[in-house]
């Protein structure tokens, strides 16, 4: 129960009776003020409101022995504190509901307006802080602040802590700062043009994971800031950050989703464009293939036919030198026909639709080698085929692959005394690998990059061929999502290894 000593305070109040309600209203505790003779001098308006009593009813209640006054005052204080806590709790609920349908900027302003109402302040601001750079991001001000005290000319602006005034003491010290005597602070700086005078202020830091991430400040409360104000502001600072952090995460998530959506749309557009370009290219390739197979074949057939007729009907009359020229001409046209066939085969490999089925490569290898033996029954070639090599792929293309690889081995062992051809399967880095190995002519490894290029040959005329077989094999493997490579040495044979995406 506060009492005013008559020798000092009362004499001052007698000069101005209006000071009574100001003084009583600003007291943190107590409901009324007594004269030294125990006469009631003034009653706190908030006390009457809390108790639901008029002034006369209150005076009647306290007209009792003095030992009951302290209990009445303490009870009233407990009721007032409980009421304040309840108001804070309700305000927090309102803020959480508000956040569900408003932007982050609107949320911050609403939180500051609530803090002002609960603390009786006239200024409110909420700014973000980056400890690594020591930069403050000016984020939000209360409605009253923007309308009355200052303009938000630097919203979203950044500046260092060393440039700020006393309101960043909490950042420098890492603790809440209360300046109830702002005008007397020796380290305060001037206020921006148009900013109203600051009488007192309170700023609290927001910590997350041991680091300051934001500050909430209030100012110009009519009375001094006290511990109850600090608790209220701290609660709202933390709650506001929690909600703001969630909203920022949602905003980033929505932005990421939007970026992903736009990226998908762009990708779909590009895929559509590439698909259209591919269809055009395929049509052009089909047109070219048709032209090759029909328009070029007809003249070649005529050359071969007339050359053969000329040799048959007039062979004896033609000089020996002319017959040689004629023989070379028909051989060249036949070779050109063979090239056309191989080009068409390479083109078909790129265009044919894959129909994956289980393919027994061991059986295919046996069939191909059997066919080669029938074409050259005089050759004796030792063949070793590992049984049970079954893979998943297109039957036609994988059969063509085995034909090309085994014909290649058959051809390049033709000058070997004891030729040997192997087909089998191994494991490389945990991946099944099939191979065709021979002990034939081999090749110089420094030229291996040319092996799978169309029309590239590493040997001379001693071995026939057009340089298309390995290029076709490479394309077949690519269509199956695998890879193919070769190892060898001149005069010591070669090994062609390949993998398939769907090998079983």
């Amino acid at each position: 129960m506060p009492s005013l000593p008559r020798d000092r305070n009362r004499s001052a109040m007698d000069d101005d009776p209006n000071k009574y309600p100001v003084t009583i209203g600003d007291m943190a505790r107590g409901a009324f003020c007594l004269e030294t003779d125990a006469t009631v001098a003034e009653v706190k308006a908030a006390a009457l409101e809390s108790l639901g009593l008029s002034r006369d009813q209150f005076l009647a209640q306290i007209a009792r022995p003095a030992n009951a006054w302290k209990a009445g005052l303490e009870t009233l204080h407990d009721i007032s504190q409980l009421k304040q806590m309840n108001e804070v709790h309700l305000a927090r609920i309102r803020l959480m509901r508000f956040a569900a349908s408003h932007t982050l900027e609107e949320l911050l302003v609403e939180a500051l307006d609530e803090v002002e109402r609960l603390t009786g302040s006239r200024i409110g601001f909420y700014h973000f802080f980056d400890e690594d750079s020591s930069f403050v991001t000016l984020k939000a001000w209360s409605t009253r602040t923007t309308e009355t005290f200052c303009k938000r000319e630097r919203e979203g602006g950044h500046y260092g802590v060393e440039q700020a005034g006393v309101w960043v003491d909490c950042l420098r010290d890492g603790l809440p700062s209360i300046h109830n005597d702002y005008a007397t602070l020796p380290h305060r700086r001037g206020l921006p043009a148009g900013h109203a005078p600051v009488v007192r202020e309170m700023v609290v830091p927001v910590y997350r994971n041991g680091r300051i991430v934001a500050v909430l400040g209030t100012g110009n409360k009519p009375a001094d800031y006290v511990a109850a104000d600090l608790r209220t502001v701290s609660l709202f600072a933390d709650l506001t950050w929690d909600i703001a952090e969630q909203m920022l995460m949602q905003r980033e998530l929505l932005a990421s989703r939007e970026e992903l959506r736009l990226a998908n749309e762009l990708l779909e557009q590009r895929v559509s464009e590439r698909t259209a370009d591919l269809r055009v290219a395929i049509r052009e390739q089909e047109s070219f293939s048709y032209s090759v197979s029909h328009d070029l074949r007809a003249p070649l057939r005529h050359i071969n036919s007339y050359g053969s007729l000329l040799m048959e009907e007039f062979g004896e009359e033609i000089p020996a030198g002319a017959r040689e020229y004629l023989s070379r001409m028909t051989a060249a046209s036949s070779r050109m026909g063979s090239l056309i066939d191989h080009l068409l085969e390479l083109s078909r490999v790129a265009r044919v639709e894959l129909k994956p089925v289980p393919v027994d490569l061991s059986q295919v290898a046996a069939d191909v080698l059997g066919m080669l033996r029938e074409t050259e029954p005089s050759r004796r070639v030792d063949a070793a085929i590992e049984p049970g090599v079954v893979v998943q792929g297109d039957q036609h293309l994988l059969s063509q692959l085995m034909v090309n690889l085994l014909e290649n081995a058959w051809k390049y062992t033709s000058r070997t005394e004891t030729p040997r051809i192997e087909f089998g399967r191994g494991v490389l880095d945990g991946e099944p690998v099939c191979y065709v190995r021979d002990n034939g002519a081999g090749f110089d490894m420094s030229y291996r990059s040319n092996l799978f290029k169309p029309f590239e040959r590493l040997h001379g005329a001693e071995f026939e061929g057009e340089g298309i077989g390995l290029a076709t094999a490479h394309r077949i493997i690519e269509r199956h999502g695998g890879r193919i490579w070769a190892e060898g040495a001149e005069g010591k044979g070669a090994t062609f290894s390949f993998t398939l995406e769907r090998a079983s």
Side-chain angles (χ1 to χ4, degrees):
M1 177 176 60
S3 176
L4 300 176
R6 200 167 188 81
D7 58 345
R8 185 161 50 91
N9 294 338
R10 180 56 189 270
S11 61
M13 290 182 181
D14 286 340
D15 299 335
D16 186 1
N18 293 328
K19 292 182 180 179
Y20 278 99
V22 175
T23 305
I24 298 299
D26 292 346
M27 295 171 62
R29 296 174 61 92
F32 53 89
C33 181
L34 299 179
E35 301 281 10
T36 54
D37 59 358
T39 303
V40 175
E42 188 54 63
V43 183
K44 189 174 182 180
L48 297 177
E49 181 182 355
S50 299
L51 294 174
L53 300 175
S54 66
R55 186 176 186 279
D56 292 339
Q57 290 172 328
F58 180 79
L59 294 177
Q61 289 290 333
I62 65 170
R64 58 183 67 183
N67 58 6
W69 297 344
K70 186 176 186 300
L73 288 172
E74 293 295 340
T75 301
L76 179 60
H77 175 72
D78 292 341
I79 293 173
S80 298
Q81 189 176 43
L82 181 61
K83 182 179 178 182
Q84 184 184 30
M85 291 175 61
N86 187 53
E87 288 181 353
V88 170
H89 177 67
L90 293 175
R92 294 177 69 186
I93 293 175
R94 286 196 299 271
L95 188 63
M96 288 187 286
R97 290 176 177 172
F98 183 89
S101 57
H102 292 78
T103 66
L104 173 61
E105 291 72 19
E106 292 170 337
L107 166 74
L108 295 176
V109 173
E110 181 69 13
L112 292 170
D113 289 348
E114 286 282 8
V115 169
E116 283 189 358
R117 184 182 64 80
L118 292 169
T119 61
S121 300
R122 299 294 183 268
I123 297 175
F125 58 85
Y126 202 107
H127 300 327
F128 292 175
F129 178 62
D130 180 18
E131 275 200 10
D132 294 331
S133 62
S134 291
F135 268 79
V136 179
T137 301
L138 305 181
K139 202 64 183 175
W141 291 262
S142 68
T143 303
R144 191 199 305 269
T145 303
T146 56
E147 292 177 351
T148 307
F149 286 89
C150 65
K151 297 182 179 179
R152 292 186 294 182
E153 295 177 352
R154 298 190 64 187
E155 180 177 358
H158 299 73
Y159 62 86
V161 171
E162 70 282 354
Q163 299 174 269
V166 296
W167 67 270
V168 295
D169 283 353
C170 68
L171 295 177
R172 300 186 183 103
D173 303 334
L175 297 170
S177 61
I178 298 178
H179 299 133
N180 284 321
D181 51 352
Y182 185 87
T184 64
L185 296 174
H187 62 296
R188 67 186 180 90
R189 299 184 179 182
L191 297 172
H195 198 292
V198 176
V199 178
R200 54 182 60 84
E201 69 175 11
M202 175 173 62
V203 187
V204 299
V206 179
Y207 275 90
R208 287 297 180 272
N209 300 320
R211 298 165 67 88
I212 299 177
V213 294
V215 294
L216 193 159
T218 59
N220 283 9
K221 177 185 174 183
D224 286 351
Y225 286 104
V226 294
D229 298 320
L230 179 60
R231 286 194 298 270
T232 299
V233 174
S234 297
L235 283 171
F236 263 81
D238 281 334
L239 175 66
T240 304
W241 178 261
D242 288 340
I243 299 175
E245 193 172 36
Q246 291 178 5
M247 296 181 74
L248 286 172
M249 292 174 62
Q250 291 175 356
R251 179 184 291 181
E252 292 174 0
L253 178 60
L254 290 175
S256 298
R257 287 178 177 173
E258 180 64 14
E259 290 176 2
L260 181 60
R261 185 186 66 80
L262 293 175
N264 286 336
E265 289 181 357
L266 180 60
L267 179 60
E268 289 175 0
Q269 179 183 351
R270 289 180 177 176
V271 168
S272 299
E273 292 172 354
R274 298 295 184 272
T275 302
D277 293 342
L278 181 60
R279 286 172 178 167
V280 171
I282 290 175
R283 284 196 298 268
E284 291 176 350
Q285 188 179 45
E286 289 174 347
S287 177
F288 172 76
S289 299
Y290 179 84
S291 298
V292 168
S293 61
H294 290 80
D295 299 345
L296 293 183
R297 282 178 181 275
L300 288 175
R301 282 197 300 269
H302 291 160
I303 293 173
N304 286 332
S305 297
Y306 286 119
S308 299
L309 287 173
L310 190 61
M311 289 291 290
E312 290 176 3
E313 296 181 8
F314 304 99
E316 295 181 358
E317 302 176 14
I318 300 175
R323 282 198 303 270
E324 177 64 23
Y325 294 150
L326 188 59
S327 176
R328 290 184 178 182
M329 182 183 70
T330 55
S333 66
S334 297
R335 181 169 179 270
M336 187 173 181
S338 177
L339 282 173
I340 291 173
D341 291 339
H342 284 96
L343 282 172
L344 292 174
E345 176 187 313
L346 188 62
S347 174
R348 281 193 297 269
V349 167
R351 291 185 289 112
V352 69
E353 180 184 356
L354 294 183
K355 298 178 180 179
V357 295
V359 180
D360 189 342
L361 292 185
S362 299
Q363 184 60 50
V364 174
D367 294 342
V368 172
L369 288 174
M371 178 190 67
L372 292 172
R373 285 193 176 100
E374 290 176 0
T375 58
E376 292 186 73
S378 61
R379 284 192 62 184
R380 296 291 181 267
V381 178
D382 181 21
I385 300 175
E386 180 180 335
V389 179
V390 179
V391 299
Q392 190 83 1
D394 185 89
Q395 176 75 49
H396 173 73
L397 291 184
L398 292 184
S399 296
Q400 185 64 51
L401 169 72
M402 296 302 295
V403 168
N404 291 4
L405 293 179
L406 290 170
E407 281 185 349
N408 192 72
W410 185 271
K411 175 172 61 178
Y412 287 108
T413 55
S414 61
R415 296 174 181 270
T416 303
E417 291 185 6
T418 55
R420 178 178 173 81
I421 298 175
E422 301 176 27
F423 169 72
R425 179 168 59 181
V427 177
L428 179 64
D429 297 331
E431 184 179 22
V433 176
C434 299
Y435 62 87
V436 173
R437 180 179 295 131
D438 67 71
N439 63 344
F443 62 92
D444 186 348
M445 284 288 285
S446 60
Y447 297 101
R448 63 181 174 180
S449 61
N450 296 331
L451 278 173
F452 302 105
K453 294 180 180 179
F455 307 114
E456 290 283 349
R457 303 189 71 240
L458 302 187
H459 296 277
E462 70 273 18
F463 297 104
E464 64 178 13
E466 313 298 342
I468 293 293
L470 290 179
T472 303
H474 182 264
R475 190 161 295 183
I476 291 172
I477 292 298
E478 282 187 333
R479 290 293 311 276
H480 284 79
R483 56 194 180 94
I484 185 170
W485 66 95
E487 297 172 310
E490 291 183 305
K492 295 183 180 180
T495 301
F496 287 83
S497 305
F498 61 90
T499 64
L500 297 169
E501 185 180 35
R502 297 182 177 88
S504 62

